[in-house]
Amino acid sequence: TAQLSSDGFASHVDIGTLTSTVAGTISGTIPAGTASGSGYRIRVVSSTPAATGTDNRSNLTVNSLPAQPSAITGNITVCQNSSQTYSVTNVAGVNYTWTFPSGWTQTTGGTTNSVTVTVGSGSGNVQVTPSTCGSGTSRTLAITTNAAPSAPTTTGATICIGGAVATTLSASGAIAGDIYKWYDAATAGNLLKTSTNNTDNTYTTAVLAATTNYWVSILNSGGCDGLRTLVTATFPTASTDDSNLAGTDFWIGHVYDGTNFTTYYGWYN
């Protein structure tokens, strides 16, 4: 029997045994809850014949497993595709391994006490396991994921030049209880319009002098925002025709822009 002690074997704990009458190897396991310290030694004792071996003659250090982390902080009801942060109280020297429900992706934090994730479609547990020289007891937090709506279908428009005319863009795909949200960027950006209901599906731009992109998403009744879809207000392409070739009585499909003929848009045959 292999014995572990930190007090000269005035007290000890058995860490492994071997039943044999010939030489062999004893595999030992230090029990959970053993106090950390640097003065441990190991010896072997036998029963037949009864004998006590000398210890290993050098001190061993035993490190305790890390304690179970504090409660996980973070939202327990989340929207698919949203970004969420989860954390526990940091303990110096401890690494934290995080696992998430199906389809979730960790984006920042690594093995630190605080991580950011992009939510997938699955519900389940967020789990964190502490580790130093071994793994401690995990902590879990149950999560419910609400589905995000599908990205809308959009219809762009061509800008009408030569006057103070706005352009109307449209979207479809929202159902009763959903609303549309219009933006000037694919992510973040400025919210330009929030519709009143699912049938309020258009956005009217300011007067534009160049092709301009917009994005629209659907927000469902559960408060989940779907992915944004691009929709474009397109400024007509300048014609490559030369007005000087038209002569004095005939135009080669040039369109007057309301101010002058220095720029031409489109052509007619």
Side-chain angles (χ1 to χ4, degrees), residues 2 27 41 47 49 54 67 80 92 94 112 123 133 176 178 186 190-193 197 207 214 234 248 250:
S27 296
R41 294 197 178 190
S47 57
T54 58
Q80 182 183 2
V94 175
T112 68
S123 297
C133 61
D178 294 348
N190 297 305
L191 176 61
L192 304 175
K193 176 186 175 181
N197 53 53
V207 176
Y214 298 89
T234 304
T248 57
F250 178 73

Side-chain angles (χ1 to χ4, degrees), residues 115-149:
V115 296
T116 302
V117 292
T118 298
V119 177
S121 60
S123 297
N125 289 330
V126 170
Q127 178 175 288
V128 60
T129 302
S131 62
T132 48
C133 61
S135 297
T137 302
S138 299
R139 180 76 71 176
T140 60
L141 180 67
I143 304 294
T144 299
T145 300
N146 292 328

Side-chain angles (χ1 to χ4, degrees), residues 159-186:
I159 298 166
C160 182
I161 63 171
V165 180
T167 303
T168 299
L169 309 172
S170 63
S172 61
I175 62 175
D178 294 348
I179 58 175
Y180 294 98
K181 299 176 73 177
W182 296 83
Y183 298 89
D184 62 2

Side-chain angles (χ1 to χ4, degrees), residues 241-243 251 253-265:
D241 292 341
D242 185 351
S243 63
W251 287 102
H254 298 296
V255 179
Y256 181 54
D257 69 0
T259 304
N260 53 54
F261 285 101
T262 58
T263 304
Y264 304 89
Y265 303 89

Side-chain angles (χ1 to χ4, degrees), residues 153-157 168-172 182 201-203 216 231:
T153 300
T154 58
T155 302
T168 299
L169 309 172
S170 63
S172 61
W182 296 83
N201 67 330
T202 61
Y203 172 69
V216 58
V231 56

